[in-house]
């Protein structure tokens, strides 16, 4: 095993450390967040820091780093209180990655992606996405250790491609074409290994 | 597209909604958290709510649901201030899932996994894991919307299998055998699609 302690990590070259530490937490969700500013300009940005917070009420969390390109998205969410989360497919992966550049106007047209609107949410969905989630701002907290901002939002609309949700509510993300990411810039498709039954001490888990 | 609004989601059967909403945020990291209580009993629990918070200082976050089996882990972290995060490989996936049962004593022996100790961290590592991360508690915040607890911790040790970290610090999680998960109980291996260059407005992203 290669071993790194606190001093070893602190003395790494900045770019090396960023890649290294961003890889350590394993595979991450990656999605496009759609929002709109007060002038009506549509914004789209790729995020890998979106996670489940609760099922009832349905809540998600997003981490926003201080001083990054993602600040437009955070400003729009805090002002408009609404945004969308759109899963990314291999078909438009390069376009999705391109949204992270410092664009002047809307990333939709600039990157070759299309808006889609519902009656529930003011913010734009990504037409190309098989899973589209409409969210309403609930609360924001600051992580004191590094001033990262945590936004918690309620899911108020879900639009999802037909025939990918099972009888038990489980969404087959592979059928949806949803990809995952690792580190800062690496994207991956997945292959199902197993679903297991609810674990109990007196027997081994079985495949569902 | 199938569409669900707030009322539709609220009226879903509880188990259905739990599977459904847990699937919505896409693929997640999944890892085993090792900890130790005041009596020295080693604890091991599977978590899918671990995420990157910052690279310098190196910080991770973990969400703990209120009133779940994971409370042992949270109690140990708050008391001992240290814990480990261990990536999961297909080789010991069933054993890793089995840690989520309500065991009386240590999950290591009960589930057929082995402890490993370093000089830096009091909490046990999982010997079988290719990526082992030692963490020190930094802060805890409560998400008001549903009383979920967010723990932020600093990475104070990394132990990682040789020949999987690139010259730029990127860790090849596929070489490490690290898996991902979706929903509550589905596990997946990955296949790399692409790494892309830092995005700029004046040119298309290129594969690294």
């Amino acid at each position: 095993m290669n071993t790194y302690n606190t001093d070893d990590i602190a003395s790494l070259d900045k770019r090396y450390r960023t890649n290294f530490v961003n890889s350590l937490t394993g595979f991450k969700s990656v999605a496009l967040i759609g929002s709109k500013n007060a002038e009506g300009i549509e914004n789209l940005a790729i995020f890998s820091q979106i996670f489940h917070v609760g099922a009832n009420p349905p809540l998600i969390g997003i981490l926003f780093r201080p001083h990054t390109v993602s600040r437009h998205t955070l400003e729009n969410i805090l002002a408009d209180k609404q945004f969308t989360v759109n899963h990314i497919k291999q078909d438009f992966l390069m376009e999705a990655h391109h949204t992270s550049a410092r664009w002047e106007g809307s990333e939709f047209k600039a990157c070759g992606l299309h808006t889609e609107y519902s009656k529930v949410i003011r913010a734009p969905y990504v037409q190309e996405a098989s899973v589209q989630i409409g969210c309403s701002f609930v609360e924001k907290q600051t992580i004191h250790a590094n001033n990262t901002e945590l936004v918690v939002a309620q899911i108020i609309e879900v639009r999802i491609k037909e025939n990918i949700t099972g009888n038990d509510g489980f969404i087959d993300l592979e059928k949806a074409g949803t990809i995952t990411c690792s580190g800062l810039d690496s994207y991956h498709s997945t292959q199902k290994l197993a679903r297991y039954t609810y674990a109990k001490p007196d027997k081994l888990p079985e495949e569902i």
Side-chain angles (χ1 to χ4, degrees), chain A:
Chain A
M1 304 284 261
N2 294 321
T3 303
Y4 307 78
N5 65 23
T6 298
D7 290 343
D8 297 330
I9 298 169
S11 66
L12 293 173
D13 165 73
K14 183 177 179 238
R15 186 78 193 161
Y16 189 104
R17 182 176 51 234
T18 304
N19 279 320
F20 184 70
V21 179
N22 268 277
S23 303
L24 281 176
T25 39
F27 292 100
K28 302 182 270 194
S29 70
V30 61
L32 287 163
I33 296 186
S35 64
K36 202 182 247 190
N37 73 8
E39 288 77 46
I41 296 177
E42 295 154 335
N43 186 280
L44 191 66
I46 191 166
F47 277 82
S48 66
Q49 307 283 75
I50 304 175
F51 44 87
H52 175 80
V53 170
N56 189 25
L59 298 170
I60 65 163
I62 311 170
L63 280 185
F64 291 88
R65 304 299 314 286
H67 315 302
T68 69
V69 288
S70 58
R71 297 297 279 189
H72 278 161
T73 301
L74 179 57
E75 286 160 14
N76 291 353
I77 291 173
L78 295 179
D80 192 39
K81 310 292 186 196
Q82 292 199 346
F83 60 97
T84 70
V85 173
N86 306 270
H87 287 206
I88 297 169
K89 294 165 71 171
Q90 186 176 358
D91 307 358
F92 56 96
L93 170 55
M94 194 263 284
E95 291 82 352
H97 182 80
H98 208 190
T99 63
S100 61
R102 293 178 185 271
W103 297 100
E104 292 291 326
S106 169
E107 290 81 4
F108 277 94
K109 200 169 178 187
C111 300
L113 294 165
H114 298 88
T115 60
E116 188 164 285
Y117 281 92
S118 85
K119 288 176 182 164
V120 175
I121 292 272
R122 290 183 292 277
Y125 286 111
V126 175
Q127 197 184 96
E128 288 81 356
S130 302
V131 181
Q132 305 173 350
I133 307 164
C135 300
S136 174
F137 175 83
V138 174
E139 66 185 270
K140 179 173 84 69
Q141 296 196 27
T142 303
I143 293 173
H144 306 303
N146 69 348
N147 292 321
T148 296
E149 306 278 13
L150 167 64
V151 165
V152 175
Q154 183 165 343
I155 296 171
I156 61 172
E157 186 176 52
V158 176
R159 294 149 55 93
I160 190 163
K161 201 176 144 190
E162 284 171 24
N163 300 320
I164 61 171
T165 306
N167 292 333
D168 60 355
F170 176 77
I171 302 168
D172 189 328
L173 296 177
E174 287 170 3
K175 276 194 194 162
T178 299
I179 62 166
T180 180
C181 76
S182 70
L184 287 174
D185 48 28
S186 186
Y187 303 95
H188 311 256
S189 63
T190 67
Q191 273 196 302
K192 182 178 162 184
L193 294 170
R195 281 187 76 191
Y196 283 114
T197 49
Y198 188 83
K200 295 181 178 181
D202 54 358
K203 56 186 290 198
L204 291 176
E206 285 169 12
E207 291 199 29
I208 294 177

